[in-house]
C-alpha cells in the first residue's frame, strides 16, 4: 500500500512518484490550498493539494485529525524560503495527486494539546502511542534490544528461554500466583526473575546465557517500578566478577556509542560502605558534587543531647552536608528542608550559616551555636571545607535515618542550587554486605544465592554479620541499571546461607530441592548480572518514568485502564479451579 515511509522521504526522491499511508497529523486550508501533515511511525511529511484536481481537493478539504489515509503524489523541493529546518523532511513536500480515506476517525476522546492525565493516556494508549514523542521512544527501545542481542550473540552468549509458569521462591517480593486446573488447590508462580533457571542453565553446560525476559513482582509501585518489567538477563560459567563486569560494561558502552554517539567516561569502583558514608545511597548520583561528612567524633562530648546521643551510640550517626552559597537560604526554606527530611524519619535539621571561617561562634549564625565551643565550630567548618556564604546542615539520629534523610537532602539541594551537572556519570558499587539484620534476623541484601567473598562455609556461619558478598551493581546518574553477583555453586555453602537466613533444611528442600540436588553434580563456578531494560531506556531517552518507555504499562495501583484489568473472574472458571472467594465485608456500619 506504500512505497515509502512518510518520515523517510528526502531530497533523494525529488521528482519521483510516491505512495504514502498514515494519519492526518494536521490539516490547514490556506488560500485555496490544502496542506496535510501526514504522520507514520518514522515521522511527518507535508502533502499539498491544490484545486486543479477538484474531486481530490474536495476529499482533502474533508479530512480531520487522525483520519487514516493513503496519499499518492510527486515529491518536490520546497522553495528556500519555505524550508522547515525543524523537520527531517523539511526540505521537500509531496504534491498530492490521489487521496484515499482508509478509515475516518471519530472526535478524539483526549486532546494532546492540553494537559492529559496519565490515567487518560493509559486508557487510550493506542492514541497516546501515535504521538511522535512516544513513537520515537518505542523505536528507540526496539533498536536497543536489537543492539543488545547483536552484542551478546557476537560475544558467544546463547539466547535461551526460561519458564513463565514456575515454582514460588522467596526473592524479595510477593509472587503472582497462577492456579492450576489439573492440580486443583495448587499454584504456579510467575517468575520474579529467571534466577534459579539461569543457574541451572550454567549447571547444564550452556556456559554463557542471556535473555530479554519479562519478570513479575507483586509490590508497591513507583515511577521506576511495574508489576511486570523487562530484564536483560545474563549468566556465565567460569568467569570472575571482574570479567562479568568488564563484559557488561563493554555492552553498555557499545549501546551508548551506537544509540546516542556518547563515549561514556570511566566507571569508577566504589564500595558500598563508601557510597553510604559519602552519599547516603547505594546508587549515588555522581553528577551532584555534594557529599556527607561524618562529625560524630567531634561532637561526642558536647552537652547538646541531640548531638551527643547519636554521637555516642554505636548504631547512631551524626553527619553534615555543606551547601556552597547556602547561607542565602531563608528560615522558611530551611523549615521546608526540615519537613523534607522528616519524610525519612528525621526529627529535625540543625544548621550553621558560615559568615567567616575560623572565627568560631563569632563567625557563624546558628540556633545551636550556643551549645558548641569555638574549637568545635572551627573543627566542623574545617572538616566540611566550608567558606563564607555556605550553610552546614546536620543530621543526628540512628544510622539508617541519618543516611537516608541526608542522602535524599543531598539530591534535593543539588537540584535546588543548580549543582547537579548534565553529564553521564556511571560507576560500579561493590563489596556489599552479604546480609542485613532486621527484626532480629538476617536477610539477604541481594538474594539467597549470592556467594560470599573469600569465606568458607564455617567462617560464614561463625560471622555472618561481617560477610561481604561477591556482588556488584552498575549505577548511572543515581539509577541502578543492573545488579549481579558470583553465585554459590557449592551445596554446603548454599545450605549454610539458607540456615543463616532462617530457612530450615526441610523448607530448603521443599522450595529449592531441585537446585540443591543440581549442586551435587559438578556445578561450575558461575556469575551473572541482570539489567533493567525499562530503566535503561528511560535514562537514554530522558523519560521521567519507565511507563513512558513501555507500550502498555500499568498504573501506580497495578491496574490497566485500557483493558480494565484486573477484573472479576467468571464463577464457572473459579469453580473449575476449585477456588472459593472470601466474602468482602460491607463498608457500611451496622450492616
Amino acid at each position: 500500500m506504500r512505497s515509502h515511509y512518510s518520515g523517510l522521504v528526502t531530497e533523494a526522491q525529488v521528482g519521483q512518484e510516491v505512495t504514502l499511508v498514515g494519519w492526518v497529523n494536521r490539516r490547514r486550508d490556506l488560500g485555496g490550498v490544502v496542506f496535510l501533515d501526514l504522520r507514520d511511525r518514522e515521522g511527518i511529511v507535508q502533502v499539498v493539494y491544490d484545486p486543479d484536481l477538484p474531486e481530490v481537493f474536495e476529499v482533502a478539504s474533508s479530512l480531520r485529525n487522525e483520519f487514516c489515509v493513503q496519499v499518492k503524489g510527486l515529491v518536490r523541493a520546497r522553495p528556500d524560503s519555505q524550508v522547515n529546518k525543524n523537520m527531517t523532511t523539511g526540505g521537500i513536500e509531496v504534491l498530492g495527486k490521489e487521496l484515499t480515506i482508509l478509515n475516518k476517525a471519530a472526535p478524539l476522546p483526549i486532546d494532546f494539546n492540553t494537559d492529559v492525565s496519565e490515567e487518560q493516556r493509559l486508557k487510550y494508549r493506542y492514541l497516546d502511542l501515535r504521538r511522535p514523542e512516544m513513537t520515537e521512544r518505542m523505536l528507540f527501545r526496539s533498536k536497543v534490544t536489537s543492539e543488545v542481542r547483536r552484542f551478546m550473540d557476537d560475544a558467544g552468549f546463547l539466547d535461551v528461554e526460561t519458564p513463565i509458569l514456575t515454582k514460588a521462591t522467596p526473592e524479595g517480593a510477593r509472587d503472582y500466583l497462577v492456579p492450576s486446573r489439573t492440580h486443583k488447590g495448587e499454584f504456579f508462580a510467575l517468575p520474579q526473575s529467571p534466577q534459579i533457571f539461569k543457574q541451572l542453565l550454567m549447571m547444564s553446560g550452556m556456559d554463557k546465557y542471556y535473555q530479554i525476559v519479562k519478570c513479575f513482582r507483586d509490590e508497591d509501585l513507583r515511577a521506576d517500578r511495574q508489576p511486570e518489567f523487562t530484564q536483560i538477563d545474563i549468566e556465565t560459567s567460569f568467569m570472575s566478577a571482574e570479567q562479568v563486569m568488564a563484559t557488561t560494561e563493554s555492552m553498555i558502552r557499545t549501546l551508548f556509542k551506537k544509540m546516542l554517539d556518547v563515549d561514556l567516561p570511566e566507571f569508577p569502583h566504589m564500595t558500598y560502605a563508601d557510597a553510604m558514608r559519602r552519599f547516603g545511597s547505594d546508587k549515588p548520583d555522581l553528577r551532584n558534587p555534594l557529599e556527607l561528612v561524618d562529625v560524630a567524633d567531634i561532637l561526642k562530648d558536647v552537652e547538646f543531647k541531640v548531638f551527643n546521643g547519636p554521637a555516642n551510640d554505636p548504631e547512631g550517626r551524626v553527619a553534615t552536608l555543606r551547601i556552597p552559597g547556602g547561607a542565602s537560604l531563608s528560615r522558611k526554606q530551611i523549615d521546608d528542608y526540615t519537613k523534607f527530611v522528616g519524610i525519612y524519619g528525621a526529627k529535625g535539621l540543625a544548621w550553621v550559616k558560615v559568615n567567616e571561617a575560623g572565627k568560631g561562634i563569632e563567625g557563624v549564625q546558628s540556633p545551636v551555636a550556643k551549645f558548641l565551643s569555638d574549637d568545635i565550630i572551627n573543627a566542623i567548618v574545617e572538616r566540611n571545607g566550608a567558606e563564607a556564604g555556605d550553610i552546614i546542615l546536620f543530621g543526628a539520629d540512628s544510622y539508617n535515618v541519618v543516611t537516608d534523610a541526608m542522602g535524599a537532602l543531598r539530591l534535593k539541594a543539588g537540584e535546588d542550587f543548580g549543582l547537579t551537572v548534565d553529564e553521564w556519570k556511571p560507576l560500579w558499587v561493590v563489596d556489599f554486605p552479604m546480609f542485613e539484620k532486621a527484626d532480629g534476623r538476617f536477610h539477604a541484601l541481594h538474594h539467597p544465592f549470592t556467594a560470599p567473598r573469600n569465606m568458607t562455609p564455617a567462617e560464614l556461619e561463625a560471622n555472618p554479620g561481617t560477610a561481604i558478598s561477591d556482588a556488584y551493581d552498575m549505577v548511572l546518574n543515581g539509577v541502578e541499571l543492573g545488579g549481579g553477583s558470583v553465585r554459590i555453586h557449592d551445596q554446603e555453602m548454599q545450605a549454610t546461607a539458607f540456615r543463616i537466613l532462617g530457612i530450615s533444611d526441610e523448607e530448603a528442600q521443599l522450595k529449592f530441592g531441585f537446585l540443591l540436588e543440581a549442586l551435587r553434580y559438578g556445578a561450575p563456578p558461575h556469575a551473572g548480572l541482570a539489567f533493567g531494560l525499562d530503566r535503561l531506556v528511560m535514562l537514554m531517552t530522558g523519560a521521567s518514568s519507565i511507563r513512558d518507555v513501555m507500550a502498555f504499562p500499568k498504573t501506580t495501583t497495578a491496574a490497566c485502564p485500557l483493558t480494565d484489568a484486573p477484573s472479576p473472574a467468571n464463577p464457572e472458571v473459579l469453580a473449575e479451579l476449585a477456588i472459593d472467594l472470601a466474602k468482602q465485608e460491607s463498608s457500611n456500619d451496622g450492616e
Side-chain angles (χ1 to χ4, degrees):
M1 295 184 71
R2 66 175 158 216
S3 62
H4 298 77
Y5 280 102
S6 298
L8 300 181
V9 179
T10 67
E11 284 83 351
Q13 281 78 47
V14 169
Q16 296 181 19
E17 295 276 352
V18 295
T19 302
L20 310 174
V21 291
W23 289 267
V24 176
N25 194 64
R26 186 169 62 147
R27 180 186 66 83
R28 290 160 291 152
D29 194 338
L30 302 177
V33 178
V34 173
F35 292 87
L36 298 181
D37 286 346
L38 185 68
R39 185 190 72 244
D40 60 22
R41 79 172 199 193
E42 297 295 341
I44 296 174
V45 68
Q46 178 172 281
V47 185
V48 182
Y49 286 96
D50 59 43
D52 293 348
L53 300 170
E55 292 183 2
V56 177
F57 185 79
E58 183 179 355
V59 175
S61 299
S62 71
L63 297 179
R64 298 291 183 270
N65 286 1
E66 299 307 318
F67 274 33
C68 186
V69 299
Q70 181 188 59
V71 168
K72 294 183 180 180
L74 179 70
V75 181
R76 65 185 185 186
R78 293 194 197 186
D80 291 343
S81 61
Q82 297 179 17
V83 170
N84 186 343
K85 295 182 179 179
N86 296 321
M87 291 176 60
T88 306
T89 61
I92 57 93
E93 63 186 13
V94 177
L95 179 60
K97 300 296 185 182
E98 298 180 30
L99 177 60
T100 304
I101 297 177
L102 301 175
N103 211 337
K104 295 181 179 180
L108 300 182
I110 47 178
D111 180 2
F112 287 113
N113 294 316
T114 63
D115 289 335
V116 179
S117 70
E118 188 172 54
E119 186 86 9
Q120 287 292 94
R121 287 180 55 204
L122 296 182
K123 180 176 178 63
Y124 298 100
R125 190 62 161 185
Y126 45 85
L127 296 178
D128 188 41
L129 289 173
R130 289 185 195 173
R131 293 190 298 125
E133 180 182 33
M134 293 299 296
T135 302
E136 289 170 10
R137 288 172 181 164
M138 293 302 107
L139 291 174
F140 188 93
R141 180 179 176 127
S142 176
K143 291 174 183 176
V144 166
T145 57
S146 294
E147 289 296 339
V148 168
R149 293 186 188 282
R150 188 173 296 112
F151 181 93
M152 300 307 291
D153 292 343
D154 290 346
F157 285 76
L158 304 180
D159 183 355
V160 184
E161 291 184 355
T162 53
I164 293 298
L165 295 177
T166 183
K167 185 180 182 67
T169 56
E171 293 188 43
R174 298 182 189 89
D175 289 308
Y176 278 101
L177 299 179
V178 181
S180 170
R181 180 185 58 81
T182 53
H183 301 275
K184 288 182 171 56
E186 298 183 351
F187 296 82
F188 294 104
L190 302 183
Q192 294 185 33
S193 77
Q195 182 64 48
I196 288 180
F197 285 105
K198 66 184 181 184
Q199 290 189 245
L200 291 172
L201 284 171
M202 296 304 99
M203 299 171 196
S204 305
M206 295 297 103
D207 194 64
K208 293 180 182 179
Y209 140 95
Y210 85 98
Q211 186 183 186
I212 298 178
V213 60
K214 282 287 188 186
C215 302
F216 307 86
R217 293 179 186 175
D218 185 5
E219 58 186 350
D220 294 334
L221 305 184
R222 58 187 184 214
D224 59 349
R225 283 183 179 173
Q226 280 281 290
E228 51 181 320
F229 58 95
T230 305
Q231 280 187 353
I232 304 169
D233 205 48
I234 299 167
E235 197 78 6
T236 68
S237 296
F238 309 111
M239 286 178 68
S240 65
E242 290 71 25
Q243 289 171 317
V244 172
M245 293 162 73
T247 299
T248 51
E249 181 178 321
S250 177
M251 184 189 79
I252 294 299
R253 287 186 179 279
T254 300
L255 270 180
F256 272 75
K257 183 62 177 177
K258 289 192 174 182
M259 299 298 300
L260 300 177
D261 195 26
V262 167
D263 292 307
L264 287 175
E266 178 187 356
F267 283 56
H269 288 213
M270 183 182 298
T271 66
Y272 171 86
D274 278 349
M276 299 302 287
R277 176 177 58 83
R278 295 170 57 192
F279 305 106
S281 172
D282 60 358
K283 47 182 184 294
D285 188 346
L286 298 187
R287 297 174 302 165
N288 180 340
L290 301 180
E291 294 194 21
L292 308 186
V293 175
D294 284 300
V295 293
D297 59 312
I298 299 175
L299 297 169
K300 280 187 175 182
D301 297 326
V302 300
E303 294 183 3
F304 190 38
K305 290 184 178 180
V306 171
F307 286 163
N308 69 28
N312 288 284
D313 185 346
E315 297 183 357
R317 184 180 187 187
V318 184
T320 55
L321 178 70
R322 176 183 73 94
I323 304 176
S328 62
L329 285 171
S330 68
R331 186 57 187 263
K332 181 183 182 306
Q333 289 172 312
I334 294 174
D335 288 344
D336 288 342
Y337 277 177
T338 303
K339 291 177 183 176
F340 177 80
V341 297
I343 297 171
Y344 300 88
K347 301 179 185 67
L349 186 68
W351 53 272
V352 169
K353 289 185 177 182
V354 180
N355 298 323
E356 192 172 351
K359 288 204 168 183
I361 295 175
E362 291 185 3
V364 301
Q365 175 189 352
S366 170
V368 300
K370 60 186 177 183
F371 300 108
L372 310 176
S373 68
D374 286 343
D375 288 343
I376 287 175
I377 289 176
N378 288 336
I380 290 171
V381 169
E382 181 179 357
R383 183 170 292 183
N384 278 274
E387 301 176 351
D390 295 350
I391 191 170
I392 300 172
L393 304 174
F394 292 74
D397 209 305
S398 68
Y399 180 88
N400 288 340
V401 167
V402 171
T403 301
D404 292 346
M406 298 300 283
L409 182 60
R410 168 185 172 268
L411 296 178
K412 181 171 176 54
E415 292 292 337
D416 291 348
F417 282 81
L419 301 173
T420 303
V421 296
D422 186 16
E423 297 177 358
W424 296 108
K425 290 286 189 177
L427 77 152
W428 286 103
V429 178
V430 298
D431 292 352
F432 289 84
M434 189 165 174
F435 305 107
E436 56 184 350
K437 201 163 191 178
D439 304 322
R441 57 183 292 262
F442 285 109
H443 303 265
L445 194 68
H446 280 86
H447 55 67
F449 316 108
T450 300
R453 177 172 292 169
N454 302 323
M455 293 185 86
T456 65
E459 291 169 336
L460 179 64
E461 191 141 32
N463 298 289
T466 65
I468 298 297
S469 66
D470 207 352
Y472 34 84
D473 282 359
M474 183 187 289
V475 177
L476 180 63
N477 292 4
V479 175
E480 181 192 328
L481 284 187
S485 67
V486 173
R487 321 302 187 189
I488 296 173
H489 70 280
D490 172 78
Q491 187 183 29
E492 183 182 357
M493 181 68 80
Q494 187 64 76
T496 301
F498 284 159
R499 281 197 299 274
I500 293 169
L501 292 170
I503 301 174
S504 67
D505 292 343
E506 294 76 14
E507 185 182 0
Q509 282 297 324
L510 180 65
K511 294 182 176 179
F512 307 106
F514 55 95
L515 176 67
L516 296 173
E517 178 74 5
L519 289 173
R520 297 176 56 205
Y521 304 113
H526 54 287
L529 185 147
F531 288 102
L533 175 64
D534 312 295
R535 291 183 187 178
L536 175 62
V537 177
M538 177 186 73
L539 277 179
M540 295 180 78
T541 60
S544 58
S545 164
I546 62 171
R547 294 189 293 277
D548 282 336
V549 297
M550 303 171 78
F552 299 102
K554 306 293 188 294
T555 66
T556 53
T557 59
C560 176
L562 174 64
T563 61
D564 197 26
S567 56
N570 187 314
E572 294 179 1
V573 174
L574 292 177
E576 192 173 20
L577 293 169
I579 293 176
D580 186 18
L581 297 181
K583 292 182 179 180
Q584 299 294 316
E585 292 185 9
S586 172
S587 60
N588 295 324
D589 292 338
E591 292 186 9

